[in-house]
Amino acid sequence: MPELPEVQTVRLSLAPHVLNRTVRELTIRRKSVIRQGEPIKALKPGTRILAIERHGKELMILGRQHDVQNRKPRGKSTQEADIAVFVHLGMTGSLCYYPAKGTYTDGVPWEDKHAHVVWRLDDGGWMVFRDPRRFGGLRVFADPHTARQTRWAKLGPDALSITPGRLSVALRGRNTPLKVALMDQRILAGLGNIYADELLFVCGLNPRTPAGAVTPNQVAALVRRMRSLLAKAIAARGSTLRDHKDADGKPGGYQLRHMVYGRGRQPCRRCGTPLESQQIGGRTTVHCPHCQPLLLLL
């Protein structure tokens, strides 16, 4: 499942291709991937793409409807978005851009059977939502305010912007394992199994540590190292374990730098101790028993 770095990578790579472009054609091959709202309004022809925002693991594309015949924006402001489309990539979803004059060795990407929603833009290029297993999908809202209140208001602060004080308050009094708390999108939006494991390792914290037992100084260090970890992962275009790729079709490279995730029973890259793998909160969790000891609280 893509996490914050992978979703941010898609956003950053897609934006140069589609911002300020106008949609000329909309093709929906599988209406069921539109999880909410009217499919026909999912950036329909005449829509100018104004912005791509991200919160946690979700993307939101903002558009402004234009009069196709007169090519004028509806309403007074050309900068005020009047359509919002959420994109959830799920396990196998991708949102890619294909230039009109590109060379495609494996057939025409937008004619692939898994290309469920296709937008043709005014530069002749194509923006394609593809999802073989269909765990992802789109949600269409009439305006950004409604979209944010419906989707993002239920989430905690973004992992790149949360403050130590706010995270401390959210963790206070919780007996759930720290890893479970960090993956709770109502507390912190953006972390999943990969980066929760990696973050706890670089912080030297055991994943089973009760969330409420983490000290303010530890929380401050956790937030600081989380920002650094996520920034490095974004710079490497995220982690490609199987399906993730950016808008240009390039895989990520951060999986080559994983310290613990997916490395159960292998030697710790820091101390050489065999890494332990266990189930925490229903998710496979890997940690180093030497570098991340579970401290007994008296």
Side-chain angles (χ1 to χ4, degrees):
M1 185 73 72
E3 302 179 31
L4 187 154
E6 290 75 47
V7 177
Q8 179 73 339
T9 295
V10 172
R11 174 182 172 268
L12 293 176
S13 56
L14 183 64
H17 297 302
V18 305
L19 289 188
N20 295 314
R21 300 251 68 99
T22 298
V23 177
R24 291 302 182 213
E25 299 175 20
L26 166 62
T27 303
I28 301 175
R29 296 199 177 96
R30 187 178 291 273
K31 290 186 178 181
S32 61
V33 302
I34 311 294
R35 309 296 187 188
Q36 184 174 349
E38 299 181 51
I40 192 62
K41 293 184 178 180
L43 302 178
K44 66 182 182 180
T47 301
R48 182 185 180 192
I49 300 174
L50 300 180
I52 305 175
E53 298 181 0
R54 180 199 56 77
H55 186 86
K57 305 177 185 181
E58 286 193 339
L59 288 176
M60 179 168 65
I61 303 176
L62 303 180
R64 179 73 177 165
Q65 298 290 335
H66 283 55
D67 184 311
V68 178
Q69 291 183 344
N70 297 324
R71 297 189 177 183
K72 294 181 180 179
R74 295 190 321 192
K76 297 181 180 180
S77 173
T78 60
Q79 300 304 314
E80 182 183 355
D82 60 8
I83 196 71
V85 177
F86 274 95
V87 181
H88 181 58
L89 297 176
M91 293 181 66
T92 60
S94 63
L95 190 62
C96 291
Y97 173 84
Y98 300 97
K101 297 181 180 180
T103 300
Y104 310 108
T105 58
D106 298 324
V108 182
W110 49 89
E111 292 182 356
D112 180 88
K113 67 179 181 179
H114 300 302
H116 304 312
V117 184
V118 179
W119 298 268
R120 187 166 192 183
L121 308 178
D122 58 359
D123 66 344
W126 308 79
M127 182 171 69
V128 180
F129 175 73
R130 185 179 182 276
D131 189 5
R133 297 186 67 181
R134 300 198 300 277
F135 288 122
L138 310 180
R139 286 178 167 82
V140 184
F141 295 89
D143 63 86
H145 176 74
T146 301
R148 294 188 186 100
Q149 289 300 310
T150 301
R151 298 291 299 177
W152 288 352
K154 300 176 182 178
L155 301 177
D158 188 80
L160 285 177
S161 61
I162 195 169
T163 63
R166 185 155 182 185
L167 184 56
S168 290
V169 170
L171 297 179
R172 188 177 301 159
R174 292 180 179 269
N175 292 320
T176 55
L178 180 57
K179 179 179 178 179
V180 174
L182 292 176
M183 291 176 59
D184 187 337
Q185 301 303 296
R186 298 167 298 179
I187 294 176
L188 179 67
L191 292 191
N193 209 29
I194 297 174
Y195 298 102
D197 274 5
E198 294 296 300
L199 175 61
L200 290 171
F201 176 80
V202 299
C203 291
L205 294 170
N206 190 285
R208 286 197 178 277
T209 302
V214 183
T215 68
N217 286 340
Q218 287 175 321
V219 172
L222 189 151
V223 169
R224 182 177 66 253
R225 289 169 178 167
M226 177 169 60
R227 290 175 180 168
S228 175
L229 170 68
L230 295 176
K232 291 175 182 177
I234 293 168
R237 298 195 308 278
S239 299
T240 296
L241 304 178
R242 181 178 177 182
D243 297 289
H244 165 66
K245 58 184 178 180
D246 68 12
D248 296 309
K250 298 177 182 178
Y254 197 73
Q255 69 277 4
L256 302 176
R257 299 172 63 181
H258 289 173
M259 299 295 285
V260 291
Y261 179 82
R263 300 188 63 247
R265 299 184 180 180
Q266 297 181 41
C268 174
R269 287 177 169 163
R270 181 180 292 169
C271 72
T273 302
L275 299 176
E276 294 184 357
S277 179
Q278 58 189 307
Q279 291 288 313
I280 299 179
R283 305 300 299 274
T284 300
T285 301
V286 181
H287 79 287
C288 175
H290 179 266
C291 298
Q292 300 168 263
L294 180 60
L295 302 179
L296 296 178
L297 302 174
L298 300 179

